[in-house]
């Protein structure tokens, strides 16, 4: 392969490429200033792309500079025309002022002052009339607002007076006066608080001691269980006692008890028959 030193064409191409890279590097340095240019792959495609981008950017910069110069030139010309126009206007106004009499000057001053006060942009009758109407509307709105503010102020004054009267009543009320012996009462309350605090600690210690001592005997739960069992036994005893009372009038021997039972059974049957007969006779009568 021929080296650039041996081939004039390649040497010329390498020189052109080096010049292009120098141009691209300079353009990138301006764009990224004051930061360094980031690293990127350097090849022919990248070079062509960056050259096109740099050329387009330079063209846009030149166009912007041209527009800026044209704008500055237009501004200078406008200022020159404005200065010339102001000079002509001043000369015209001076001549007009010289031609006016005292009444004319006074009327002109009044017109200018009226226009300025009304905030009108022109001195035409239509513009001044519209400004007067707007000023009248604003004045009416301002009067309405002032009336509302006056009413609010009067209401607040009444409220303040009522509050002041209430405050005076509270100040003169004996119930809100500080007792003369308040320091003594405070000291007494503090002493009582300390005494009660000490007693509370003592009672807590006693309760703790009782709790430790009571752990040796039956507990409350045990007593509740025993009480329940005793109540159940009492119910059983009452039931048995009732059953015993039912057999209290019977003879002590078995034969006599059986005979009395049969006698009572016969009496019961007789009573049942008598009841049935009475019921039947009652039905027949109906």
């Amino acid at each position: 392969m021929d080296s650039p030193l041996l081939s004039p064409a390649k040497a010329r191409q390498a020189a052109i490429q080096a010049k292009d890279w120098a141009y691209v590097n300079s353009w990138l340095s301006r764009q990224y200033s004051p930061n360094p240019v980031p690293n990127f792959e350097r090849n022919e495609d990248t070079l062509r792309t960056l050259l096109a981008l740099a050329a387009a950017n330079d063209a846009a910069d030149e166009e912007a500079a041209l527009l800026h110069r044209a704008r500055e030139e237009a501004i200078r010309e406008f200022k020159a025309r404005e200065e010339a126009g102001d000079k002509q206007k001043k000369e015209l106004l001076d001549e007009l002022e010289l031609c006016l009499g005292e009444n004319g000057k006074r009327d002109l001053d009044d017109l200018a002052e009226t226009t300025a006060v009304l905030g009108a942009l022109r001195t035409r009758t239509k513009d001044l009339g519209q400004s007067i109407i707007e000023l009248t509307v604003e004045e009416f709105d301002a009067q309405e607002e002032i009336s509302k503010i006056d009413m609010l102020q009067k209401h607040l004054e009444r409220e303040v007076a009522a509050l002041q009267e209430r405050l005076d009543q509270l100040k003169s009320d004996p119930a809100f006066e500080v007792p003369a012996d308040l320091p003594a009462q405070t000291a007494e309350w503090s002493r009582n608080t300390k005494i009660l605090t000490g007693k509370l600690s003592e009672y807590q210690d006693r309760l703790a001691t009782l709790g430790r001592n009571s752990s040796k005997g039956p507990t409350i739960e045990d007593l509740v269980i025993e009480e329940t069992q005793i109540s159940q036994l009492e119910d059983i005893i009452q039931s048995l006692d009732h059953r015993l009372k039912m057999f209290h009038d019977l003879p002590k021997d078995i034969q006599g008890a059986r005979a009395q039972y049969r006698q009572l059974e016969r009496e019961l049957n007789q009573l049942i028959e008598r009841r049935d007969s009475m019921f039947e006779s009652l039905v027949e009568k109906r």
Side-chain angles (χ1 to χ4, degrees):
M1 181 180 293
D2 296 334
S3 64
L5 297 177
L6 300 178
S7 176
K10 290 186 177 181
R12 185 168 54 256
Q13 184 179 1
I16 295 172
Q17 190 174 14
K19 184 178 179 181
D20 292 340
W21 275 116
Y23 170 71
V24 168
N25 290 331
S26 176
W27 177 74
L28 290 175
S29 298
R30 292 196 306 271
Q31 298 300 321
Y32 283 96
S33 179
N35 298 322
V37 179
N39 296 325
F40 60 93
E41 184 179 356
R42 295 175 178 269
N43 51 39
E44 293 183 358
D45 294 336
T46 306
L47 179 60
R48 284 195 299 271
T49 303
L50 291 176
L51 283 173
L53 184 60
N57 185 264
D58 290 341
D61 291 342
E62 291 178 359
E63 184 178 358
L66 182 61
L67 290 174
H68 180 68
R69 288 194 298 271
R71 190 179 294 109
E72 288 182 346
E73 184 66 25
I75 291 173
R76 283 195 297 271
E77 292 179 358
F78 177 76
K79 287 183 177 180
R81 289 197 302 269
E82 189 176 15
E83 291 176 356
D86 291 341
K87 185 177 180 181
Q88 293 177 357
K89 289 179 181 178
K90 188 175 183 305
E91 293 176 354
L92 180 61
L93 291 175
D94 292 339
E95 292 180 1
L96 180 61
E97 186 176 1
L98 291 174
C99 295
L100 290 175
E102 293 297 330
N103 294 332
K105 291 180 180 180
R106 185 173 60 253
D107 294 340
L108 185 60
D109 291 338
D110 293 340
L111 180 61
E113 184 178 359
T114 303
T115 305
V117 170
L118 294 176
L121 299 177
R122 297 180 179 85
T123 58
R124 293 184 303 179
T125 306
K126 181 179 179 181
D127 296 334
L128 294 177
Q130 183 65 31
S131 299
I132 292 173
I133 293 173
E134 293 176 356
L135 183 61
T136 304
V137 173
E138 292 178 359
E139 182 182 4
F140 178 76
D141 294 338
Q143 289 178 353
E144 289 292 325
E145 293 295 330
I146 291 173
S147 300
K148 293 179 181 179
I149 293 173
D150 289 339
M151 293 175 60
L152 179 60
Q153 183 179 2
K154 292 178 181 178
H155 176 70
L156 292 176
E157 289 176 353
R158 289 194 298 269
E159 291 293 331
V160 170
L163 291 174
Q164 186 64 39
E165 183 180 358
R166 180 60 178 166
L167 181 60
D168 295 338
Q169 292 177 358
L170 293 176
K171 288 181 179 180
S172 60
D173 192 348
F176 295 96
E177 293 182 357
V178 179
D181 58 345
L182 181 61
Q185 291 181 1
T186 304
E188 182 67 22
W189 292 338
S190 299
R191 287 193 297 271
N192 293 335
T193 302
K194 292 180 181 179
I195 294 172
L196 292 175
T197 303
K199 289 184 178 181
L200 178 61
S201 301
E202 181 181 354
Y203 292 153
Q204 288 177 348
D205 295 337
R206 289 183 180 180
L207 288 174
T209 304
L210 291 174
R212 289 193 297 271
N213 294 332
S214 63
S215 61
K216 299 178 181 179
T219 62
I220 296 176
E221 295 179 355
D222 296 337
L223 293 176
V224 171
I225 294 173
E226 291 182 0
E227 184 179 1
T228 304
Q229 293 176 354
I230 291 172
S231 299
Q232 293 176 355
L233 291 174
E234 289 179 351
D235 294 338
I236 294 172
I237 291 171
Q238 290 179 359
S239 177
L240 293 174
D241 190 16
H242 179 69
R243 294 178 65 182
L244 288 173
K245 286 181 179 180
M246 293 175 62
F247 296 99
H248 182 70
D249 296 333
L250 294 176
K252 295 182 179 180
D253 59 317
I254 296 176
Q255 296 297 330
R258 289 179 178 175
Q260 188 174 357
Y261 172 75
R262 285 193 292 270
Q263 179 65 28
L264 292 173
E265 187 177 9
R266 285 193 298 272
E267 292 179 358
L268 177 62
N269 292 330
Q270 291 176 1
L271 290 173
I272 292 172
E273 291 176 357
R274 184 179 178 184
R275 183 199 63 184
D276 294 339
S277 62
M278 291 176 66
F279 181 75
E280 290 176 357
S281 62
L282 181 62
V283 171
E284 290 176 357
K285 289 180 180 181
R286 289 184 178 182

